[in-house]
Amino acid sequence: MVKLSLVILVVLTVLIGTGLRWREERRVAIRAATVRRGGWLAAQKRSLNRWVTAACLATLTTILVLGGLHWLRVLQQG
């Protein structure tokens, strides 16, 4: 069960991170007049922030889904 939750966590992190990057790029394309400043370090901070956010959302989703499945099994046995 632990291996399954880790696999789910990694897959969700990658999917959510990709979705956040796509959303960020699309938002910048819509507002093309905005020029990003800060250079390489600012880009790395944005990337790190994106992946931390994705990992947080993936963790919450995994906890809710697997916790819900656990409680369904507990209620079914009782």
Side-chain angles (χ1 to χ4, degrees), residues 1 66-78:
M1 194 66 165
L66 293 181
L69 290 174
H70 170 73
W71 280 108
L72 285 175
R73 187 172 52 176
V74 167
L75 292 174
Q76 191 177 33
Q77 290 176 357

Side-chain angles (χ1 to χ4, degrees), residues 56-70:
C56 179
L57 292 173
T59 303
L60 289 174
T61 303
T62 304
I63 288 171
L64 290 174
V65 168
L66 293 181
L69 290 174
H70 170 73

Side-chain angles (χ1 to χ4, degrees), residues 15-29 50:
L15 289 175
I16 293 170
T18 304
L20 288 173
R21 185 181 63 205
W22 174 79
R23 180 176 175 242
E24 195 175 278
E25 288 172 356
R26 185 172 176 215
R27 187 172 53 188
V28 169
R50 181 185 320 120

Side-chain angles (χ1 to χ4, degrees), residues 12-47:
L12 282 176
T13 300
V14 170
L15 289 175
I16 293 170
T18 304
L20 288 173
R21 185 181 63 205
W22 174 79
R23 180 176 175 242
E24 195 175 278
E25 288 172 356
R26 185 172 176 215
R27 187 172 53 188
V28 169
I30 291 171
R31 293 185 301 148
T34 305
V35 177
R36 286 193 173 174
R37 296 182 183 161
W40 183 80
L41 186 60
Q44 298 308 311
K45 285 182 180 180
R46 279 193 304 273
S47 179

